Amino acid sequence: MFSDAVSRYAAIGAKGITVWRSAIEGLGPTAAGRLARDQGLAIVSLCRGGFFVSGSEEGRRKAIDDNRRCIEEAATLGAPLVVLVCGADPGVSLPEARAQIEESISALVPDAAASGVRLAIEPLHPMYAGDRSAVNTLAQARAICSRVDSPWVGIAVDVYHTWWDERLEGELAACGAEGRLFSFHISDWLTPTRDLLEDRGIMGEGCIPIREIRGWAERAGFRGFIEVEIFSRRLWEMDQDTYLERIAAAFLSHA
Ligand code: ZN
């Protein structure tokens, strides 16, 4: 439950929370925002918008409408940012998918500006290029940002998705210099990874040099929240208070 999550996050010393739309469906954004702020938590972002890519005009239009609702929800919640998982479709080529993504984000810029909500493109690991995001590198995300050219559009960098990229340090520096480094997510990469979506590790369990990458982000000027984002069926099955304690300890020693 959302109220349970915010009180437990506050209890372990977390200072902020990113809210998933699905987690506040019954509650609504006004009440959810109040609950989080009552616990002293800043709302970092609303997760998530995007999924712009479709083989049909109707699908693309519906996606833009849904993103407009998402931006409104973020404003009501008090979230300054919406994370975008930009979408992909096995029936749409990657270049065409990226063009659709760019066009859809451009169409949403006036909504973002009117609501005072920033949009952060999150490049996803290439293993998701078939069905979740055609934006797979920081370079691709930066290229879209520079063409859309709005202060409301930037990038969410997640170490899980980007750690393998040999250009990461330079891309982070460029991203910071352009004022586009909006969010920073951490978790760890397990070997083997048994599930494409829900087998992330706690920081220190895997092979991502999290502290080094965080250093690159901070040298690039990033001063926002370091957000822990771990999707894991294995860890969701354990006692959740113990899980939170493990996260807090891992944050201090590995992030
Ligand atoms: Zn992320």
Side-chain angles (χ1 to χ4, degrees), residues 122 158 161 185 200 229:
E122 180 165 14
D158 187 326
H161 295 300
H185 302 168
R200 298 189 184 196
E229 184 184 47

Side-chain angles (χ1 to χ4, degrees), residues 102 105-106 119-121 135 138-156 175 178-182:
E102 185 176 321
I105 293 174
S106 292
L119 306 175
I121 299 169
V135 181
L138 217 44
Q140 287 162 354
R142 278 206 309 118
I144 292 173
C145 286
S146 70
R147 286 192 295 267
V148 172
D149 193 22
S150 162
W152 296 98
V153 179
I155 300 175
C175 199
E178 291 160 0
R180 307 238 192 254
L181 196 44
F182 285 2

Side-chain angles (χ1 to χ4, degrees), residues 155-168:
I155 300 175
V157 175
D158 187 326
V159 300
Y160 190 79
H161 295 300
T162 57
W163 69 280
W164 55 272
D165 187 343
E166 65 186 4
R167 295 165 300 174
L168 184 56

